[in-house]
Amino acid sequence: MNSTKQTSRRQFLKMTGGIAAVYTLGVARSAYAAGTDEIKVALIGCGRRGRGAVLDRIAVGDNMKLVAIADISSERLNLAISTFDKLENKTTKINLPHEHVFNGFDGYKKAIECADQVLITSFPGFHTTHYEYAVQQGKHVFVEKPFCIDAEGYRRCMKANKLAEEKNLTVLSGYQRRHQNSYLEWIKRIQNGDIGNILNTRVYWNAGQISLRAEKKTNETEMSFQTRDWYVFNWLSGDHYLEQHCHNIDVGNWILGKGDPLAHPISCYGLGGRQARRSPWMSPCDCGNIFDHHYVEYRYDNERVMHSQCRQIKQCWTAVTERVQGTAGNGVACSLAPYDKETWNYPKKNNDKSPYIQEHIDQVDAIRNGKKLHEGWFAATSSMIGIMGRMATYSGKEITWEDAVNKGKTIFPYDKELTFDTLPPVLPDADGSYEKSTAIPGIYDPFE
Ligand SMILES: NC(=O)c1ccc[n+]([C@@H]2O[C@H](COP(=O)([O-])OP(=O)(O)OC[C@H]3O[C@@H](n4cnc5c(N)ncnc54)[C@H](O)[C@@H]3O)[C@@H](O)[C@H]2O)c1
């Protein structure tokens, strides 16, 4: 592979002309497995987070090389190539021969096969199948949050988790708060009892309008449009409730579950809807089939509760944080106020790294030193808690964990081979809107 030339942006454009890259591969035996210490990395999903994740992975500073990339968009592949082309250390860190640049819905398989470690930063709906394949292929893996967007995805992730454990693979998740020193110390103090027994957590992702939007082009297929405007289609994003708020839900559950990666609420109920998304005031108002506000109350036992709020409407109260109340005080990320002592705030240290880099440092340490790192258990669990909450806001019903996990509706087409001509599971109404595919509480059935 060392003798293969780097692919320049111009070469790739010329080669693809906007269509699929060549799929012929002579997959080299893993250099790392063969005895050198170079870790070969593949990137699945070359969007904003994916390009950032590669830079974060490079920042670890070990002997690694990006050897393959995959995306369903040739524009994104080109953008990634030109981004990496500008790196000062590109010759030691990047080696992307054109036959290792994979365009299309099945390109992820070929890219995964080239690597020792895989970064999965595609749309949430695809995370489950990409994760499953990486584990089947025996690769160390970083999977962005959420791990799954429906109950079937959760069950599949739990099976992949077990396989990863059997194969001694490391699994890193995109829940970077789990690697942020301020959170780690905060949670340690809470678990040490600094504010007594925990009564409840309150978690928020109330923000404005999202910028990730796309307009439908003339003669564009529905699949092409929806995969560009992915955020507002729940089969791709899981709804903003899951896509964004899963971070805060994970922290609230981390606290109430006392660090048990499989802890979860017993049941939940909630309310939600879409008020502003369909208005021209939130232009463009082609608003897919997701809600724009949710509130969920998760019951852990007869006393302990997690309250969760998530909103995407501009000019409203904003908050992205977690709060905790104990019998001897309370806290807001990352400070605590015991009732009879001074408030504790996290003292930032000079050597604190960005959690986006720290998480890769921790995974590389685990890979290279044979340490255990398996975040798939808590990551799939907290993703499922978000799915359960979405089932409650969409349906208006009380949802138990057991029913959610065992009977929750499948919304992603796992068994279909997708192309840009495949009809997506959500289709437009005659007027071009997606109202008939949008849940109405009281009517929506959250089960199969
Ligand atoms: N941890 C964090 O703080 C954080 C921050 C931002 C985004 N994210 C997560 O990262 C993921 C990506 O978000 P983004 O903002 O980069 O979105 P994006 O739209 O910028 O990028 C996603 C990329 O994945 C590609 N893709 C989608 N499905 C694919 C498939 N089946 N095969 C190959 N490529 C595919 C898309 O074409 C696109 O280029 C999401 O899951 C999001 O929730 C996490």
Side-chain angles (χ1 to χ4, degrees), residues 44-51 70-73 76 104-105 107-108 120-124 126-127 130 142 144-146 174-177 212 227-228 230 243-244 247 356 359:
I44 316 299
C46 304
R48 292 186 312 175
R49 186 75 265 280
R51 298 190 303 275
D71 204 293
I72 54 173
S73 154
R76 291 302 181 89
F105 283 94
Y108 73 95
I120 295 173
T121 55
S122 48
F123 304 145
F126 289 100
H127 289 174
H130 293 175
F142 164 72
E144 257 307 342
K145 38 56 55 169
Y175 290 93
Q176 74 277 355
R177 284 165 176 74
L212 279 168
T227 51
R228 288 192 310 106
W230 64 274
E243 193 280 333
Q244 282 189 317
H247 281 299
Y356 291 98
E359 60 187 353

Side-chain angles (χ1 to χ4, degrees), residues 162-176:
K162 190 159 172 289
L163 188 60
E165 188 137 325
E166 285 163 11
K167 292 187 172 194
N168 283 324
L169 300 173
T170 63
V171 180
L172 179 68
S173 73
Y175 290 93
Q176 74 277 355

Side-chain angles (χ1 to χ4, degrees), residues 199-265:
L199 300 172
N200 65 57
T201 54
R202 286 173 289 152
V203 298
Y204 310 87
W205 196 300
N206 287 337
Q209 197 167 358
I210 46 153
S211 56
L212 279 168
R213 295 305 314 279
E215 299 276 358
K216 191 164 183 177
K217 298 177 193 164
T218 317
N219 296 330
E220 184 174 20
T221 66
E222 190 59 26
M223 180 62 87
S224 168
F225 167 59
Q226 290 193 19
T227 51
R228 288 192 310 106
D229 203 27
W230 64 274
Y231 201 94
V232 293
F233 293 97
N234 64 9
W235 72 278
L236 288 166
S237 69
D239 196 301
H240 75 115
Y241 182 73
L242 184 60
E243 193 280 333
Q244 282 189 317
H245 193 35
C246 61
H247 281 299
N248 320 101
I249 291 171
D250 182 57
V251 172
N253 189 57
W254 187 5
I255 295 169
L256 287 170
K258 300 178 181 164
D260 174 354
L262 299 178
H264 58 76

Side-chain angles (χ1 to χ4, degrees), residues 402-442:
E402 293 306 321
D403 281 350
V405 165
N406 296 316
K407 299 195 295 185
K409 195 195 284 285
T410 299
I411 63 172
F412 188 84
Y414 294 98
D415 299 327
K416 259 193 184 171
E417 285 202 6
L418 302 183
T419 70
F420 285 116
D421 293 320
T422 310
L423 283 181
V426 169
L427 291 172
D429 303 340
D431 65 359
S433 76
Y434 298 88
E435 290 305 314
K436 288 186 185 146
S437 312
T438 305
I440 299 180

Side-chain angles (χ1 to χ4, degrees), residues 32 140 168-171 361-374:
Y32 186 56
H140 298 283
N168 283 324
L169 300 173
T170 63
V171 180
I361 293 174
D362 294 343
Q363 186 179 27
V364 169
D365 177 40
I367 295 173
R368 292 192 178 280
N369 298 308
K371 295 181 185 167
K372 186 171 170 166
L373 185 139
H374 193 331

